[in-house]
Amino acid sequence: MSQLFPNIKPFRQETLEVSGGHTLYIEQSGTPGGIPVAYLHGGPGGCIGENYRRFFDPEKYWIIGFDQRGCGKSTPFGLLENNHSQALVADVLTIQDYLKIDKWLLFGGSWGSTLALLVAIEQPARVIGLILRGIFLAREQDYAWYLAKNGGAAQLFPEYYQAFLAPIQKLLADFSIVDAYYHIFTNGNEVQKMAAIKAWYLWEARISWLHCQVDEDKLLPDDIHKAISLALLECHFIKHKCFIAENAILQKLDKIKHLPATIIHGRYDTVCKIEAAYSLAENWQNSQLHIIPEAGHSAGEKAVTQALCSATQDMAKYLKEQE
């Protein structure tokens, strides 16, 4: 399997009110009665987009995607209040209840891998397996790798890192990097906010691909709302350490060790360090780790796309054999 599956449209689109004043956008595609799979997008603050459906054979999978709190088509847009990991976990379980799904497969990349792990740990009996890409374990070392001046990403991309620091340079005497950005996002004027949003978004976009040959202007999304929610919510979650204790995922991994998992990570992923994927696999006896050579972080890189499509096919076969 070297290509994405055919492009399909959702057969149902709707909204669902959840706790704390938030309403989620949800869509379903594929085959009702097939293997139910929840697609958990990255960020925090990303959105489901369209191509995510193409990782799954629509004849085998019942594909459920949703925009997490404060982003995409979910409302209110950009709301930070009642927007934290515990609420997102509860949202996934609420959707599962709403759709009357007993057990489902969790598929997530980057922050989506974090959320998938948190959901599985919370309710392992309601999960049949996991497919994870670009592992982020929300540890101090993971934040440092991505954002710190002496972190791996900054060392590999010093010129991009300087551009990332530019909007907050005058604040660094009094604030940490994350707090400086958060201060601008929540207190700055519109000009300051947009400059900071662009810098935060471009930092991740520039380092997500091993071979980034796209025009810099094309790295910013056509819909600026995508950049706003990603920058704002990513900063909000990182400022609060993703609302989970240090190393909480690995410490609670015993709860899901029995579940089958495929772990996919680009060898040269500079957003999420490869050590996280390796440590997760080392502590998960029922997992398979696939390190993808000549690949970075993005699911759009050809070799990563191929690995994800193969993983969904292999998981479907495995689950069929277990019936």
Side-chain angles (χ1 to χ4, degrees):
M1 178 57 61
S2 60
Q3 297 179 343
L4 291 164
F5 289 98
N7 192 14
I8 57 172
K9 298 296 183 182
F11 63 78
R12 183 164 184 175
Q13 299 167 288
E14 59 190 318
T15 58
L16 179 66
E17 290 186 13
V18 289
S19 66
H22 288 268
T23 297
L24 305 179
Y25 168 77
I26 307 170
E27 58 181 39
Q28 301 175 54
S29 55
T31 302
I35 300 167
V37 55
Y39 176 86
L40 306 178
H41 67 68
C47 61
I48 51 177
E50 294 187 359
N51 274 340
Y52 81 92
R53 307 179 202 113
R54 302 184 66 189
F55 292 123
F56 310 95
D57 184 339
E59 295 184 0
K60 295 178 180 177
Y61 280 96
W62 174 16
I63 308 156
I64 298 100
F66 74 101
D67 289 329
Q68 295 163 30
R69 295 183 176 215
C71 57
K73 297 178 182 178
S74 293
T75 57
F77 178 79
L79 183 62
L80 302 183
E81 186 178 355
N82 299 313
N83 201 335
H84 48 78
S85 295
Q86 291 73 29
L88 297 189
V89 169
D91 289 347
V92 176
L93 298 173
T94 297
I95 293 169
Q96 188 174 13
D97 288 337
Y98 175 72
L99 297 176
K100 297 180 172 58
I101 296 172
D102 182 37
K103 295 184 178 184
W104 59 2
L105 178 69
L106 299 176
F107 181 109
S110 194
W111 161 251
S113 74
T114 320
L115 182 55
L117 288 162
L118 293 174
V119 171
I121 288 168
E122 180 69 20
Q123 290 284 350
R126 305 196 64 184
V127 177
I128 54 176
L130 299 93
I131 297 175
L132 308 172
R133 171 199 59 83
I135 305 303
F136 183 73
L137 295 179
R139 304 165 298 177
E140 288 290 346
Q141 60 181 290
D142 301 310
Y143 305 126
W145 172 274
Y146 179 45
L147 292 177
K149 186 175 182 179
N150 60 350
Q155 297 298 302
L156 288 166
F157 299 97
E159 74 280 29
Y160 294 157
Y161 191 72
Q162 285 305 307
F164 170 65
L165 294 182
I168 59 169
Q169 200 68 58
K170 295 179 181 179
L171 297 175
L172 292 179
D174 301 309
F175 294 94
S176 69
I177 290 170
V178 174
D179 285 342
Y181 264 103
Y182 196 81
H183 179 76
I184 291 177
F185 290 155
T186 55
N187 297 286
N189 61 45
E190 289 305 308
V191 174
Q192 291 172 324
K193 286 181 183 178
M194 290 311 301
I197 284 164
K198 180 179 179 180
W200 184 290
Y201 186 91
L202 280 176
W203 167 242
E204 182 166 341
R206 284 166 168 162
I207 69 173
S208 288
W209 296 75
L210 179 59
H211 302 291
C212 188
Q213 299 176 343
V214 181
D215 187 315
E216 287 277 309
D217 292 336
K218 295 180 180 179
L219 286 176
L220 285 169
D222 293 333
D223 182 357
I224 196 63
H225 282 79
K226 293 181 180 180
I228 293 171
S229 60
L230 183 90
L232 180 62
L233 288 170
E234 204 167 80
C235 182
H236 169 66
F237 271 72
I238 292 175
K239 173 179 170 59
H240 294 97
K241 309 299 182 185
C242 289
F243 304 90
I244 60 175
E246 173 68 8
N247 208 32
I249 292 173
L250 291 182
Q251 289 175 355
K252 297 179 180 179
L253 205 58
D254 281 345
K255 293 185 177 182
I256 59 173
K257 277 188 175 180
H258 62 288
L259 294 173
T262 303
I263 302 168
I264 294 166
H265 206 101
R267 170 69 72 185
Y268 302 105
D269 187 333
T270 53
V271 176
C272 298
K273 56 192 294 192
I274 193 172
E275 175 275 331
Y278 191 79
S279 294
L280 184 64
E282 285 286 283
N283 288 280
W284 195 339
Q285 61 191 23
N286 211 22
S287 70
Q288 291 185 329
L289 172 62
H290 300 276
I291 297 174
I292 311 303
E294 296 187 26
H297 181 70
S298 176
E301 296 205 86
K302 185 176 180 180
V304 178
T305 298
Q306 178 177 344
L308 289 169
C309 291
S310 295
T312 61
Q313 288 288 75
D314 292 344
M315 185 66 77
K317 181 180 178 181
Y318 171 81
L319 293 174
K320 183 68 174 178
E321 292 171 350
Q322 302 306 305
E323 293 179 353

